[in-house]
Amino acid sequence: MNDCIFCKILKGDIPSYKIYEDEKTYAFLDISCDSFGHTLVIPKKHFTNALDCDEEYFQAVTAAVQKISRHFVDDCGFDGVNIINASGKAAQQSVFHLHIHIIPRKNDDGLNTWALNGKYELDLAAICKKLAM
């Protein structure tokens, strides 16, 4: 896509800080600088999000996410990672090229990536009936 910022990064039109690359994926630091090592993993082919990505590329992206995450923990001294994806505007997706965030974590780093609105009274049986495949 001509106006996609991540496609422009892949073409080299916009610089990035590469963390990892293979045949189907590219990973780079998020320029938001909101946490140390915040990394984005994208497919080298344009897909809007996880809902329209073909299985081959989605598997490649998730394999890269796991490989990078293990590297962060095993080789870089992190204690864990958050792996986050937003698919669709309602899910707060802001760049419409599939991307998965890896946020490296340290014990007691003070980050709160689970800022949900609280607990709701929900009928889990009814929800399961509606959502089950």
Side-chain angles (χ1 to χ4, degrees):
M1 300 198 82
N2 293 335
D3 60 341
C4 173
I5 190 169
F6 290 168
C7 288
K8 289 178 182 179
I9 287 171
L10 289 170
K11 286 191 270 183
D13 296 341
I14 297 174
S16 65
Y17 294 93
K18 179 172 74 171
I19 296 296
Y20 174 80
E21 181 176 15
D22 62 31
E23 181 184 322
K24 291 187 172 74
T25 68
Y26 186 76
F28 55 99
L29 292 176
D30 188 312
I31 62 169
S32 68
C33 295
D34 55 3
S35 65
F36 187 94
H38 183 167
T39 299
L40 302 175
V41 182
I42 64 173
K44 288 185 173 179
K45 182 177 175 183
H46 184 88
F47 297 97
T48 302
N49 56 45
L51 304 175
D52 75 338
C53 185
D54 70 32
E55 187 174 345
E56 177 185 0
Y57 273 86
F58 196 74
Q59 287 178 356
V61 169
T62 57
V65 166
Q66 185 180 50
K67 184 175 195 168
I68 295 162
S69 296
R70 284 182 175 157
H71 168 67
F72 286 170
V73 172
D74 295 344
D75 304 322
C76 300
F78 290 98
D79 299 311
V81 296
N82 286 108
I83 298 171
I84 303 168
N85 169 260
S87 287
K89 187 176 180 179
Q92 298 176 312
Q93 183 177 2
S94 59
V95 177
F96 293 90
H97 182 122
L98 171 61
H99 58 289
I100 297 180
H101 300 256
I102 303 172
I103 302 172
R105 300 298 302 270
K106 289 281 211 172
N107 292 326
D108 301 320
D109 61 16
L111 295 176
N112 180 7
T113 57
W114 294 102
L116 298 176
N117 295 327
K119 186 172 179 167
Y120 300 98
E121 294 297 323
L122 300 173
D123 181 345
L124 296 181
I127 294 170
C128 183
K129 185 176 179 179
K130 179 176 176 114
L131 299 178
M133 297 176 73

